[in-house]
Amino acid sequence: MLEALKEKVWRANLELQKKGLVLYTWGNASEILREEGLVVIKPSGVPYEELRPESMVVVDLDGKIVEGSLRPSVDTKIHLDLYKFFPEIGGVVHTHSTYACAWAQACRDIPCLGGTHADYFFGPIPCTRPLSEEEVERSFEGDTGKVIAERFVGIKPLEVPGVLVAYHGPFTWGKDADEAVFHSVVLEEIARMSWLTLAVNPRVIPLSPKMLEKRYFRKHGKDAHYGQGSLH
Amino acid sequence: MLEALKEKVWRANLELQKKGLVLYTWGNASEILREEGLVVIKPSGVPYEELRPESMVVVDLDGKIVEGSLRPSVDTKIHLDLYKFFPEIGGVVHTHSTYACAWAQACRDIPCLGGTHADYFFGPIPCTRPLSEEEVERSFEGDTGKVIAERFVGIKPLEVPGVLVAYHGPFTWGKDADEAVFHSVVLEEIARMSWLTLAVNPRVIPLSPKMLEKRYFRKHGKDAHYGQGSLH
Amino acid sequence: MLEALKEKVWRANLELQKKGLVLYTWGNASEILREEGLVVIKPSGVPYEELRPESMVVVDLDGKIVEGSLRPSVDTKIHLDLYKFFPEIGGVVHTHSTYACAWAQACRDIPCLGGTHADYFFGPIPCTRPLSEEEVERSFEGDTGKVIAERFVGIKPLEVPGVLVAYHGPFTWGKDADEAVFHSVVLEEIARMSWLTLAVNPRVIPLSPKMLEKRYFRKHGKDAHYGQGSLH
Amino acid sequence: MLEALKEKVWRANLELQKKGLVLYTWGNASEILREEGLVVIKPSGVPYEELRPESMVVVDLDGKIVEGSLRPSVDTKIHLDLYKFFPEIGGVVHTHSTYACAWAQACRDIPCLGGTHADYFFGPIPCTRPLSEEEVERSFEGDTGKVIAERFVGIKPLEVPGVLVAYHGPFTWGKDADEAVFHSVVLEEIARMSWLTLAVNPRVIPLSPKMLEKRYFRKHGKDAHYGQGSLH
């Protein structure tokens, strides 16, 4: 079972590069086996060309390496925290994709400005508060999961499947690693489109709540009527 | 006859992807057989790699599936309305191409700022009004065609072969599916060029009506003298 | 001799597409045989994939077709006028490349903001005045060459090998078609870099005349010390 | 030994083109043999396709050609000065990459706006002052190294492995040519991301000194815990 998952997580990581979201080694995808409490994640700083399914690292929810000879991603603690805070998710992705990072560095939520956004994110894409000096001192990896969770009070993680970490970059998630990758790609495109929209009309009014609701639930939930019953 | 048209519409859909206008499944092209009252359109949410000519769906003007085992695009109602409102058109395309969506999300017409625009669109590219709360409540797919038609009172659809739907994205059309695809590509490039023009000179004055007329009719109508008699 | 030149001009036209400067058929390159008074130019509106060396059209300086079965580019009159106004040039290129068109549509000269520009253009890249209503009425193709020449009073065409035609787009030139293509590519990159520079610092001061002179003549003229004696 | 280094420097130059940082011949990479006082550098103005390992030029620290039949890069003097001013570096790269040039032309330091920057540059990326008229008159190549060194008083070159030369473009360096190339690619991405960040929020506050320190030393120095012990 772990072999199949390593292969799947490996492919998900390669897909990030194929979609143009990562430069060098700046991205990582993981997936969790909920029952076993095991997470398969990319190793730290290994060039994508050298990655193999067997390079993937298996850790438990405390971050202890269960299988694999390489060190896991430096962002592993954040992945694990997300799995703990959001029990309904099964895959996590982090990248430094350019437009999403620009919004994260600008410390701004991405407002919902149109249908492309509303089709996949049910509301603005939140940006976390910056870490305090004390949090940074303690370990910014350690508290990043916490500040993400703070922003999701009252938001269902699978309805807003991504976040911008201030001064850092985007994290996305989904039912599994593939869906988390998909949301990464969509988030980058939304970040770009919204950036361009604001530039051409800085006073634009976000989508109305009614329209947001209509668009989002056209693709999601029990009354969805998009696609052939498949994922997207 | 339908087999040939399915193949043509299939190729038109693939061309949208090849030209970089669609991410995942975010686009659709159709063509109408006027005499039979039948429309061939892409199925909803099927990855481009999996599309085959026989995946295309045939519907009548009421949206009833006449042939095909897949559900048609969720935008089918809008395609059908465009065919009804604009009897002179034969093909329709919808995409979420980035710059055109930025203008649509900004709820702004694209002013005619130069020859590239004037060669293909005889005047500004209109943006519709946003749907009212009641219209959205009823069904935003249902009323999109209507708000497009509202904007084309006094405009010949084949002289301005595209529109921006507020908060949504572009629709284009033409004599057939291929021409609608061509206008999609041109619209995206005009949207990008105009965006860049306004950024470098926000007080730019649009092209004079005389120049617009001269440029447009150099490529269109009985006195055209561009090309070898072929389409573009 | 004409066969060799047709092949060269054909390759120059293909290079425009390869460098990403043309969408569909929106570009054309030509070269002149000064002694014979003959110009070889791309035909109008033929897709690049279908172009062959023998598709090139040979015209005299009055625009009369001397050889070739296709209609020459609609911009032929402008090419011919440039050859007449600027006796030192041997090749001309026109494109609708995105950033150069944005400046042309904004009706602004591109100021010389750095070394990349100064290496190839000895001063700002001029934008013509818009054509008057009377000129447009008469024929905007007819008077475009004239308004370009107006802007080059006191400027050596080979030291500033390109121009922006207001509301239209760039024309470049050089000793031959290859050099005109090279200047097209360089102009587009300069247009992009200058656009980005102004956005990040709208009050930037152009390069000093002394620096402009030093940089330009490092690559040009009798004291040049760049390269191996070859063209660029 | 020189043969191996020529091959390495040749590959480093090709990598610049592969990563999309150079148009035509606008870039150069070199590496130094400290003990021998020899520098291997790209020749001036030779198209990348024609470069071979044996095209590389070997010069001593006075710029005298020790081996090679071609003229070295016009920027050789600047490379040599950097090797003299910064004894800890082993490789140097210069490009005209678009976003880095835009900042250089805008005469602005790139502020540290997020983690992507802080991971590789320990503080803002400095822009030099413009050369004075006298310096330009004397030779701008001659004094460029000097104005770079002026900006690095109090900055460790390997902690801030790059600079913007006002009105010109970026220079980067590292332990060897490969690391200098890596820093060129990273600098261009940071330049782009920062440009986009400022556009969406012109009043953004740079990363706190504490966060900068934490992020930078996560990847560098004796307490680094990123990667598998390899370079990046």
Side-chain angles (χ1 to χ4, degrees):
Chain A
M1 187 178 52
L2 275 172
E3 296 320 300
L5 189 54
K6 281 184 193 172
E7 166 111 14
K8 183 181 180 185
V9 171
W10 170 67
R11 283 191 196 286
N13 276 288
L14 294 190
E15 181 71 5
L16 290 177
Q17 191 186 46
K18 215 174 111 191
K19 289 290 185 188
L21 296 196
V22 295
L23 191 60
Y24 293 111
T25 60
W26 306 353
N28 41 69
S30 73
E31 185 166 319
I32 189 169
L33 284 169
R34 283 280 171 193
E35 303 215 349
E36 293 76 0
L38 295 177
V39 170
V40 177
I41 191 164
K42 192 178 80 95
S44 179
V46 177
Y48 280 80
E49 313 71 77
E50 297 173 16
L51 285 181
R52 295 289 168 270
E54 54 272 24
S55 326
M56 299 300 113
V57 186
V58 185
V59 296
D60 66 20
L61 283 165
D62 299 321
K64 207 166 73 71
I65 298 178
V66 170
E67 201 181 302
S69 54
L70 297 168
R71 217 188 306 182
S73 164
V74 282
D75 298 307
T76 299
K77 173 79 167 73
I78 308 175
H79 286 243
L80 298 180
D81 283 346
L82 289 172
Y83 288 124
K84 289 176 204 163
F85 285 121
F86 302 152
E88 58 270 68
I89 70 175
V92 171
V93 160
H94 170 53
T95 77
H96 283 224
S97 69
T98 313
Y99 281 85
C101 277
W103 284 91
Q105 296 192 161
C107 302
R108 288 187 63 169
D109 296 1
I110 304 180
C112 181
L113 300 181
T116 314
H117 182 134
D119 280 347
Y120 299 102
F121 289 80
F122 186 43
I125 298 165
C127 185
T128 68
R129 66 169 173 82
L131 294 171
S132 69
E133 292 290 285
E134 295 90 298
E135 286 164 339
V136 170
E137 180 55 49
R138 201 156 55 216
S139 153
F140 66 86
E141 289 144 11
D143 284 315
T144 294
K146 190 190 70 177
V147 296
I148 293 173
E150 275 178 27
R151 279 303 313 262
F152 277 74
V153 173
I155 301 177
K156 291 184 188 162
L158 285 178
E159 287 185 358
V160 179
V163 72
L164 305 170
V165 176
Y167 292 116
H168 187 172
F171 282 80
T172 60
W173 46 79
K175 282 179 227 149
D176 63 1
D178 292 343
E179 206 182 69
V181 168
F182 175 73
H183 288 143
S184 262
V185 177
V186 171
L187 170 51
E188 178 63 7
E189 178 61 10
I190 290 171
R192 186 171 167 231
M193 210 180 260
S194 305
W195 188 96
L196 292 167
T197 302
L198 280 179
V200 86
N201 185 357
R203 283 175 302 278
V204 69
I205 297 161
L207 206 62
S208 72
K210 172 65 73 190
M211 187 68 160
L212 170 58
E213 197 185 301
K214 283 281 177 179
R215 283 219 64 131
Y216 184 76
F217 290 109
R218 181 171 76 151
K219 290 210 173 185
H220 303 269
K222 61 178 176 39
D223 297 325
H225 61 284
Y226 181 82
Q228 308 296 331
S230 72
L231 174 64
H232 319 305
Chain B
M1 187 178 51
L2 275 172
E3 296 320 300
L5 188 54
K6 281 184 192 172
E7 166 112 14
K8 182 181 180 186
V9 170
W10 170 67
R11 283 191 196 285
N13 276 289
L14 295 189
E15 181 72 5
L16 290 176
Q17 192 186 46
K18 213 174 112 193
K19 290 289 185 188
L21 296 197
V22 295
L23 191 61
Y24 293 111
T25 59
W26 305 352
N28 41 69
S30 73
E31 185 165 320
I32 190 170
L33 284 169
R34 283 283 172 192
E35 303 216 349
E36 293 76 0
L38 295 176
V39 170
V40 177
I41 192 163
K42 192 177 79 95
S44 179
V46 177
Y48 281 81
E49 313 71 74
E50 297 174 17
L51 285 182
R52 294 288 168 272
E54 54 272 25
S55 326
M56 300 300 114
V57 186
V58 185
V59 296
D60 66 20
L61 283 165
D62 298 321
K64 207 166 70 73
I65 298 178
V66 171
E67 200 182 302
S69 54
L70 297 166
R71 216 188 305 182
S73 164
V74 282
D75 298 307
T76 299
K77 173 80 167 74
I78 308 175
H79 285 244
L80 298 180
D81 283 346
L82 289 172
Y83 288 124
K84 289 177 205 164
F85 284 121
F86 303 151
E88 57 270 67
I89 70 175
V92 170
V93 160
H94 170 54
T95 77
H96 283 224
S97 69
T98 313
Y99 282 85
C101 276
W103 284 91
Q105 295 191 162
C107 302
R108 287 186 62 170
D109 296 2
I110 304 180
C112 181
L113 301 181
T116 314
H117 182 135
D119 279 348
Y120 299 103
F121 289 80
F122 186 43
I125 298 165
C127 185
T128 67
R129 65 169 174 82
L131 293 172
S132 68
E133 292 290 285
E134 296 90 300
E135 285 164 339
V136 171
E137 182 55 49
R138 202 156 55 217
S139 152
F140 66 87
E141 289 145 11
D143 283 316
T144 295
K146 189 190 71 177
V147 295
I148 294 174
E150 276 178 27
R151 279 302 314 261
F152 277 75
V153 172
I155 301 177
K156 291 182 188 163
L158 286 178
E159 287 185 356
V160 179
V163 72
L164 306 170
V165 175
Y167 293 115
H168 187 172
F171 282 80
T172 60
W173 45 79
K175 283 179 227 149
D176 62 2
D178 291 342
E179 206 182 68
V181 168
F182 175 74
H183 288 144
S184 261
V185 177
V186 172
L187 170 51
E188 178 64 6
E189 178 62 10
I190 291 172
R192 186 170 167 230
M193 211 180 259
S194 306
W195 189 95
L196 292 167
T197 303
L198 280 179
V200 86
N201 185 356
R203 282 175 302 278
V204 69
I205 297 159
L207 205 64
S208 72
K210 172 64 74 190
M211 187 68 160
L212 170 58
E213 197 186 302
K214 283 281 176 180
R215 282 218 66 129
Y216 184 78
F217 290 108
R218 179 172 77 149
K219 290 212 173 182
H220 303 269
K222 62 177 176 41
D223 297 324
H225 61 285
Y226 180 82
Q228 309 296 333
S230 72
L231 174 62
H232 318 309
Chain C
M1 189 177 52
L2 275 173
E3 296 320 301
L5 188 54
K6 281 183 192 172
E7 166 112 15
K8 183 182 179 185
V9 170
W10 170 67
R11 283 191 196 284
N13 276 289
L14 294 190
E15 180 71 5
L16 289 176
Q17 193 186 45
K18 214 174 110 192
K19 290 289 184 187
L21 296 196
V22 294
L23 191 61
Y24 293 112
T25 60
W26 306 352
N28 42 68
S30 73
E31 185 167 319
I32 190 169
L33 285 169
R34 283 282 173 193
E35 301 216 351
E36 293 77 359
L38 295 177
V39 170
V40 177
I41 192 163
K42 192 178 78 97
S44 179
V46 177
Y48 280 81
E49 315 69 78
E50 297 173 18
L51 285 181
R52 295 288 168 272
E54 55 272 23
S55 325
M56 299 299 114
V57 187
V58 185
V59 295
D60 66 21
L61 283 165
D62 299 321
K64 207 166 71 74
I65 297 176
V66 172
E67 201 181 301
S69 54
L70 297 167
R71 218 188 305 181
S73 164
V74 281
D75 298 306
T76 298
K77 173 79 167 73
I78 308 175
H79 285 244
L80 298 180
D81 283 345
L82 289 172
Y83 288 124
K84 288 177 204 161
F85 284 122
F86 303 152
E88 58 271 66
I89 71 175
V92 171
V93 160
H94 170 55
T95 77
H96 283 224
S97 68
T98 314
Y99 282 85
C101 277
W103 284 91
Q105 295 191 163
C107 302
R108 288 187 62 170
D109 296 1
I110 304 179
C112 181
L113 300 181
T116 314
H117 182 135
D119 280 348
Y120 299 102
F121 289 80
F122 187 43
I125 298 166
C127 185
T128 67
R129 65 170 173 81
L131 293 172
S132 68
E133 292 289 286
E134 297 88 301
E135 285 163 340
V136 171
E137 181 55 49
R138 201 156 55 216
S139 151
F140 65 87
E141 289 145 11
D143 283 315
T144 294
K146 190 189 72 178
V147 295
I148 294 174
E150 275 179 27
R151 279 302 313 261
F152 277 76
V153 173
I155 301 177
K156 291 183 188 162
L158 285 178
E159 287 184 357
V160 179
V163 72
L164 306 170
V165 176
Y167 292 115
H168 186 173
F171 282 80
T172 59
W173 45 79
K175 283 179 226 149
D176 63 1
D178 291 342
E179 207 181 68
V181 168
F182 175 74
H183 288 143
S184 262
V185 177
V186 172
L187 170 51
E188 178 63 7
E189 177 62 9
I190 291 172
R192 186 171 166 231
M193 211 180 259
S194 306
W195 188 95
L196 292 167
T197 302
L198 280 178
V200 85
N201 185 356
R203 283 174 300 279
V204 69
I205 298 160
L207 206 63
S208 73
K210 171 66 74 190
M211 187 67 160
L212 170 58
E213 197 186 303
K214 283 282 176 180
R215 282 219 64 132
Y216 183 77
F217 291 108
R218 180 171 78 149
K219 291 213 173 182
H220 303 270
K222 63 178 175 40
D223 297 324
H225 60 285
Y226 180 83
Q228 309 296 333
S230 73
L231 173 61
H232 319 308
Chain D
M1 188 177 53
L2 275 172
E3 296 319 300
L5 188 54
K6 281 184 193 172
E7 166 112 13
K8 183 182 180 185
V9 171
W10 170 66
R11 282 191 197 285
N13 276 289
L14 293 191
E15 180 71 5
L16 289 176
Q17 191 185 46
K18 215 174 110 190
K19 289 289 184 186
L21 296 196
V22 295
L23 191 60
Y24 293 111
T25 60
W26 305 354
N28 41 69
S30 74
E31 184 166 320
I32 190 169
L33 285 168
R34 282 281 173 194
E35 302 215 349
E36 294 76 2
L38 295 177
V39 170
V40 177
I41 192 164
K42 194 179 76 99
S44 179
V46 177
Y48 281 79
E49 314 69 77
E50 297 174 17
L51 285 182
R52 296 287 167 273
E54 54 272 24
S55 326
M56 300 299 113
V57 186
V58 185
V59 296
D60 66 20
L61 283 166
D62 298 321
K64 207 166 72 73
I65 297 177
V66 171
E67 202 182 301
S69 55
L70 297 168
R71 219 188 304 181
S73 164
V74 282
D75 298 308
T76 298
K77 173 80 167 71
I78 308 176
H79 285 244
L80 298 180
D81 283 346
L82 289 172
Y83 288 124
K84 288 178 204 161
F85 285 121
F86 303 152
E88 58 270 67
I89 70 175
V92 171
V93 159
H94 171 54
T95 77
H96 282 225
S97 69
T98 314
Y99 282 84
C101 276
W103 284 91
Q105 295 192 162
C107 301
R108 288 187 63 169
D109 295 2
I110 304 180
C112 181
L113 300 181
T116 314
H117 182 134
D119 279 348
Y120 299 102
F121 289 80
F122 187 42
I125 299 165
C127 185
T128 68
R129 66 168 174 81
L131 294 171
S132 69
E133 292 289 284
E134 296 89 299
E135 286 164 339
V136 170
E137 180 55 50
R138 201 156 56 215
S139 152
F140 66 86
E141 290 145 11
D143 284 315
T144 294
K146 192 189 70 179
V147 297
I148 294 174
E150 274 179 27
R151 280 302 312 261
F152 277 76
V153 173
I155 301 177
K156 291 183 188 162
L158 285 179
E159 287 184 358
V160 179
V163 72
L164 306 170
V165 176
Y167 292 116
H168 186 173
F171 282 81
T172 59
W173 45 80
K175 283 179 225 148
D176 63 1
D178 292 342
E179 207 182 67
V181 167
F182 175 73
H183 288 143
S184 262
V185 177
V186 172
L187 170 51
E188 178 64 7
E189 177 62 10
I190 292 171
R192 185 171 167 232
M193 210 180 261
S194 306
W195 188 95
L196 292 167
T197 302
L198 280 178
V200 86
N201 185 356
R203 283 175 301 278
V204 68
I205 296 160
L207 206 62
S208 73
K210 172 65 73 189
M211 187 69 161
L212 170 58
E213 197 185 304
K214 283 281 175 179
R215 282 218 64 131
Y216 184 77
F217 290 109
R218 181 171 78 150
K219 290 212 173 182
H220 303 270
K222 62 177 173 43
D223 297 324
H225 62 283
Y226 181 83
Q228 309 296 333
S230 72
L231 173 62
H232 319 306

